[in-house]
């Protein structure tokens, strides 16, 4: 499944990402040590793990012994039934006899003449090396005009981040492929891209990942084959088990349950908001790795957070306690403003075209709009839309077209809505064959491209202009994009 999707702004990625240096001996030992400690702390499967390790060692010893015996020509003299079986199987292959067949074929040439060439240019085996290198470099090059999408996926109990490239060809066709991926240790639930320069310079290219674990990991997207995150916010220091009692020690300021939502602040680029199943909302400084503020204004799991586009100190949070709360980070002691909704909050988003409007999607399939200008006197919604037959897991505003909202649902459909004058109307609907839809996101660089991820684990891109109704309605905005800038 694909749990979360984030677009990387065009030009933010390095043209040729660097390959990570192999971990040092000390780093490997530390990773192995931490893994063994975790298995030891789990306790229940410790004996099974030990038996598996012993069995693996035995098999490894058998393999080494057989290789040594073969080298000495003594495999046939073995009395060990386990090694005898392997030796007999090798005999049946008659590897020595293979060379005797087809005497007319010379596998390795004749004489030494063929082994020498006066120059590298004359050696046919070296002629294509440069071409291979250039092709490999071309495959890893990210062009400034390429769109980059990061998917948080889980498949066969393996969790990873996939970095996709979406190329637009000269003939208008597109080509999409995975550039590289990053293995992560826990089931991912949410992501947020950020450009805070964690490693120096003016800007970086990072992705923050919230998962089933309490730690938030921040990974460098410009490094391939990386095995460790650049920054970890919070997390577990150690686990202990005595009898039936378990105790967990957390990093100071850490969440204590799964991280369900993340939001990066584009104005204050070192600031990241998070929310969790522990009912808390936290504000982090990613440069120090410390939690600056913890807010406890919800009474159940907090599912989503979002910064206001025009007032970057203002933060929304939506919870399973059937409420949405707006807080100002400059006055954390203030209780903020609260709106009640009809069901568990799945997602929320600020309107990028106006400072005072936001929408909330709910478990019951509805989407509700609110105007914060009436927060002190009237908390009734501006509109309530029965958008889907099942939970609306994801919503995304279009950054170019005012009042255009996309919704994705467990009912396997994605819909486009025109919210003009708080009177929603459906513009288009599609079943993208992604299964239950968990995440959708409009590209800011290519606003008519909508990325979709769901239970089937396949990234889908909906080109909105391929829908004649959408193209006819919003074609003027597409024309503005194509118009050369002065």
């Amino acid at each position: 499944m694909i749990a979360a999707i984030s677009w990387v702004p065009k030009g933010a990625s390095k043209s040729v990402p660097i390959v990570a240096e192999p971990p040092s001996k000390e780093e490997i030992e530390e990773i192995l040590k931490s893994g063994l400690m975790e298995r030891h702390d789990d306790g229940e499967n410790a004996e099974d793990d030990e038996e598996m390790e012993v069995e693996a060692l035995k098999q490894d010893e058998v393999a080494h012994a057989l290789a040594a015996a073969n080298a000495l020509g003594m495999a046939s003299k073995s009395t060990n039934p386990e090694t005898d079986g392997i030796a007999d199987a090798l005999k049946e292959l008659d590897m020595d006899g293979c060379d005797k067949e087809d005497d007319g074929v010379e596998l390795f040439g004749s004489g030494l003449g063929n082994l020498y060439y006066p120059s590298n240019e004359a050696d046919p085996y070296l002629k294509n090396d440069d071409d291979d290198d250039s092709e490999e470099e071309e495959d890893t090059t990210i062009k400034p005009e390429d769109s980059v999408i990061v998917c948080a996926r889980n498949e066969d109990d393996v969790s990873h981040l996939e970095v996709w490239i979406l190329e637009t060809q000269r003939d208008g066709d597109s080509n999409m492929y995975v550039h590289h991926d990053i293995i992560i240790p826990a089931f991912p639930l949410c992501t947020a891209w950020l450009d805070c320069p964690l490693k120096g310079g003016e800007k970086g290219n990072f992705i923050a990942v919230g998962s089933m674990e309490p730690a938030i990991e921040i990974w460098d997207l410009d490094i391939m084959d990386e095995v460790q995150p650049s920054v970890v916010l919070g997390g577990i220091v150690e686990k202990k088990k005595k009898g039936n009692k378990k105790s967990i020690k957390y990093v100071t300021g850490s969440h204590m349950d799964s991280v369900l939502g993340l939001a990066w602040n584009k104005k204050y680029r070192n600031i990241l908001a998070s929310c969790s199943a522990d009912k808390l909302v936290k504000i982090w400084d990613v440069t120090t790795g410390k939690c600056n503020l913890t807010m406890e204004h919800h009474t159940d799991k907090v599912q989503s957070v979002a910064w206001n586009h025009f007032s970057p100190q203002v933060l929304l949070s939506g919870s399973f306690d059937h409420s949405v709360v707006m807080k100002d980070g400059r006055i954390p002691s203030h209780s903020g403003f609260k709106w009640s909704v009809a069901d568990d909050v799945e997602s929320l988003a600020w309107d990028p075209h106006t400072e005072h409007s936001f929408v909330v999607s709910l478990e019951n399939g509805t989407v509700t709009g609110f105007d914060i200008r009436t927060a002190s006197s009237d908390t009734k919604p501006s509109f309530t839309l029965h958008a889907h037959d099942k939970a609306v897991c994801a919503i995304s505003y279009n950054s170019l077209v005012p009042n255009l909202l996309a919704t994705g649902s467990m009912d396997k459909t994605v819909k486009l809505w025109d919210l003009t004058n708080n009177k929603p109307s459906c513009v288009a609907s599609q079943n993208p064959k992604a299964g239950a839809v968990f995440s959708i996101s409009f590209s800011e660089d290519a606003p008519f491209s909508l990325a979709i991820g769901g239970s089937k684990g396949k990234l889908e891109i909906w080109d909105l202009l391929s829908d004649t109704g959408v193209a006819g309605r919003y074609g003027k905005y597409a024309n503005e994009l194509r118009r050369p800038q002065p």
Side-chain angles (χ1 to χ4, degrees):
M1 60 170 285
I2 293 177
I5 294 171
S6 293
W7 291 85
V8 176
K10 287 186 177 181
S13 301
K14 281 187 177 179
S15 58
V16 181
I18 62 174
V19 178
E21 292 291 333
S24 65
K25 180 180 178 181
E26 291 76 15
E27 290 173 331
I28 294 174
E29 289 176 350
E30 187 63 30
I31 294 171
L32 292 174
K33 183 180 177 181
S34 63
L36 290 172
M37 291 297 292
E38 288 176 4
R39 288 201 297 272
H40 177 71
D41 289 337
D42 290 341
E44 298 177 359
N45 299 322
E47 293 182 5
D48 292 341
D49 290 342
E50 288 179 8
E51 291 177 4
M52 291 176 64
E53 289 174 7
V54 170
E55 185 63 28
L57 286 172
K58 285 182 178 178
Q59 293 178 1
D60 194 41
E61 289 172 0
V62 169
H64 282 294
L66 179 61
N70 281 330
L72 296 172
M74 298 189 301
S76 61
K77 298 179 182 180
S78 171
T79 58
N80 186 321
E82 190 167 8
T83 58
D84 285 347
I86 300 172
D88 291 341
L90 291 173
K91 282 184 178 180
E92 289 181 9
L93 293 176
D94 191 19
M95 298 303 289
D96 293 333
C98 290
D99 292 338
K100 297 176 183 177
E101 298 176 4
D102 298 329
D103 291 336
V105 179
E106 295 181 1
L107 296 180
F108 301 102
S110 58
L112 296 175
N114 291 346
L115 299 180
Y116 171 76
Y117 297 94
S119 66
N120 287 344
E121 289 75 12
D123 189 339
Y125 300 104
L126 297 179
K127 276 188 176 180
N128 295 326
D129 280 5
D130 292 339
D131 294 339
D132 292 343
D133 290 343
S134 61
E135 287 179 10
E136 183 176 348
E137 183 174 340
E138 184 177 349
D139 289 341
T140 58
T141 298
I142 301 175
K143 298 183 284 293
E145 62 271 20
D146 288 343
S147 295
V148 181
I149 312 160
V150 182
C151 296
R153 298 183 74 242
N154 181 274
E155 183 177 8
D156 298 331
D157 296 326
V158 176
S159 298
H160 55 151
L161 303 173
E162 286 183 340
V163 181
W164 286 77
I165 302 297
L166 176 61
E167 297 177 322
T168 301
Q169 310 291 349
R170 292 181 179 179
D171 57 6
D173 291 338
S174 60
N175 177 42
M176 191 165 66
Y177 62 92
V178 176
H179 184 275
H180 65 279
D181 63 358
I182 301 169
I183 302 298
I184 54 178
F187 195 107
L189 299 173
C190 55
T191 58
W193 182 83
L194 60 153
D195 72 3
C196 182
L198 299 176
K199 297 181 177 180
E202 294 185 4
K203 290 186 177 182
N205 181 24
F206 298 91
I207 192 84
V209 184
S211 70
M212 297 293 287
E213 296 295 324
I216 301 166
E217 296 185 338
I218 301 179
W219 293 84
D220 191 337
L221 297 175
D222 286 335
I223 300 180
M224 298 189 294
D225 302 328
E226 182 64 292
V227 296
Q228 295 276 43
S230 300
V231 175
V232 179
L233 307 176
I236 296 173
V237 176
E238 63 177 352
K239 296 180 181 178
K240 291 184 179 180
K241 183 178 181 181
K242 291 184 178 180
N244 293 327
K245 294 184 178 180
K246 292 183 179 180
S247 64
I248 301 176
K249 183 179 179 181
Y250 296 93
V251 174
T252 302
S254 175
H255 280 297
M256 292 180 286
D257 208 332
S258 305
V259 178
L260 306 180
L262 294 169
W264 172 57
N265 195 306
K266 294 183 180 180
K267 174 68 173 178
Y268 304 102
R269 293 160 51 212
N270 62 316
I271 298 299
L272 182 74
S274 65
C275 59
S276 168
D278 64 8
K279 309 175 187 178
L280 302 177
V281 175
K282 290 180 177 286
I283 309 298
W284 302 85
D285 184 337
V286 297
T287 58
T288 64
K290 304 296 183 183
C291 176
N292 287 351
L293 179 64
T294 298
M295 293 177 278
E296 306 178 30
H297 48 266
H298 287 291
T299 59
D300 205 339
K301 299 175 183 177
V302 190
Q303 178 76 5
S304 185
V305 285
W307 295 103
N308 187 287
H309 300 282
F310 299 89
S311 300
Q313 303 88 353
V314 175
L315 182 71
L316 273 183
S317 58
S319 169
F320 281 26
D321 64 9
H322 297 189
S323 76
V324 176
V325 174
M326 181 178 70
K327 298 271 286 186
D328 190 326
R330 294 167 294 188
I331 44 175
S333 59
H334 191 279
S335 60
F337 296 95
K338 185 176 182 178
W339 293 265
S340 295
V341 292
D343 210 332
D344 296 349
V345 172
E346 290 287 336
S347 184
L348 49 77
W350 287 100
D351 187 337
H353 301 278
T354 178
E355 182 179 0
H356 50 74
S357 296
F358 68 88
V359 293
V360 185
S361 69
L362 305 179
E363 172 74 19
N364 63 6
T366 62
V367 174
T368 308
F370 292 94
D371 190 325
I372 65 173
R373 293 174 295 185
T374 63
S376 58
S377 58
D378 183 9
T379 58
K380 292 181 180 179
S382 305
F383 66 85
T384 298
L385 166 67
H386 185 82
H388 294 269
D389 295 329
K390 293 184 179 181
V392 183
C393 299
I395 53 180
S396 182
Y397 267 109
N398 191 288
S399 61
L400 176 67
V401 182
N403 300 306
L404 180 59
L405 180 76
T407 59
S409 169
M410 291 286 288
D411 67 9
K412 303 181 182 180
T413 64
V414 176
K415 297 181 180 181
L416 302 178
W417 303 89
D418 184 347
L419 306 182
T420 302
N421 298 323
N422 292 321
K423 296 179 179 179
S425 61
C426 187
V427 176
S429 178
Q430 186 183 91
N431 183 338
K433 310 300 182 183
V437 178
F438 299 137
S439 182
I440 59 174
S441 180
F442 275 115
S443 167
E444 292 190 12
D445 295 306
F448 289 100
S449 295
L450 181 69
I452 304 166
S455 59
K456 289 190 176 180
K458 184 180 179 182
L459 175 64
E460 302 287 348
I461 303 294
W462 184 4
D463 177 6
L464 272 57
L465 296 178
S466 64
D467 184 291
T468 55
V470 175
R473 190 170 189 141
Y474 301 116
K476 62 178 182 179
Y477 294 99
N479 293 334
E480 289 179 8
L481 284 176
R482 300 189 188 103
R483 189 175 300 141
Q485 298 296 318

